Structure formats: structure tokens, C-alpha cells
Amino acid sequence: MLRTMGVAAIGFAIAAVAVAQEPAKPAAAAPATKASKPAFAAPMRVKGGEEIIKLEEPGYAAPCLADLDGDGKKDLLVGQFAGGKIKVYPGLGEGKFGAGTWLQADGKVAEVPGVW
């Protein structure tokens, strides 16, 4: 069984990261085993609404998942390198996301200034 742990940016694609998982055994019956090695699922293109989510060059975005709206579904956040903006794709469940909008603060597009 594979369990999705998060997402990682690879070029212009976003790949799901998965870890092999075995059913739990009672502590007394569990033999000593080596830790399982992480396995990666095949890369896939993730859509926000009907469009494929693209990362701008130079591709330093670090996508992350968080439940921003409190609906119990993880939303996808993708940072913009050049302007310091963050695009939010609302989680729809089952690995699907709605169309992205820029993160807002006080009714304006929020920007995180760079240090360069």
C-alpha cells in the first residue's frame, strides 16, 4: 500500500512522494526488521481547475500542502520566485485542486520580499 506524503517540484512537473506502508502488527509479535526505504510514485502533472499547474523559471518554488480554509482538505501553495507571491489552489479531495488565486492580505495580493 502506498501513502502520499507530500509533493515536490521537479522542473515544471509536480511529483507525488509516497512511502511504502505495511499494516501495523502488535508490538509483541513484530519481528525486528529494517526500516522501509521510501519509494517515489511516477511523476504526474497536477491540475488547478482545468489547467496544469506550472512553475516559473528558475523553478525554485517549494510547493507545500496546508488546510488554509479549515475544510479538512489540503490546499496546495506554490511560491513565485521573482515577485514573492504565493498562489493557492484549494483542495477538492482525492488529489484534485481548484483554480489557483494569489494569496491575499488586507484585500491585496500578498508579497514576501526577497533578500537578493
Side-chain angles (χ1 to χ4, degrees), residues 59-84:
Y60 296 132
C64 68
L65 296 169
D67 182 10
L68 292 183
D69 53 14
D71 65 357
K73 298 173 188 152
K74 300 283 184 171
D75 306 309
L76 176 64
L77 291 81
V78 180
Q80 177 198 42
F81 179 75

Side-chain angles (χ1 to χ4, degrees), residues 4 6 8 12 14 18 20 26 29-30 33 49 51 55 63-64 71 74 79 84 92 94-95 103 109 114 116:
T4 301
F12 287 96
I14 297 175
T33 61
E51 296 184 21
L55 305 178
C64 68
D71 65 357
K74 300 283 184 171
L92 305 176
E94 299 182 14
L103 180 68
V109 174
W116 36 86

Side-chain angles (χ1 to χ4, degrees), residues 26-113:
T33 61
K34 293 183 180 179
S36 63
K37 293 183 180 180
F40 292 92
M44 61 183 204
R45 301 258 184 205
V46 177
K47 288 186 176 183
E50 295 299 318
E51 296 184 21
I52 292 174
I53 297 172
K54 296 181 181 176
L55 305 178
E56 65 180 41
E57 290 188 29
Y60 296 132
C64 68
L65 296 169
D67 182 10
L68 292 183
D69 53 14
D71 65 357
K73 298 173 188 152
K74 300 283 184 171
D75 306 309
L76 176 64
L77 291 81
V78 180
Q80 177 198 42
F81 179 75
K85 297 184 265 184
I86 299 172
K87 195 163 265 194
V88 179
Y89 298 88
L92 305 176
E94 299 182 14
K96 296 182 181 178
F97 300 95
T101 57
W102 293 115
L103 180 68
Q104 304 243 334
D106 294 327
K108 298 178 184 176
V109 174
E111 292 185 23
V112 180

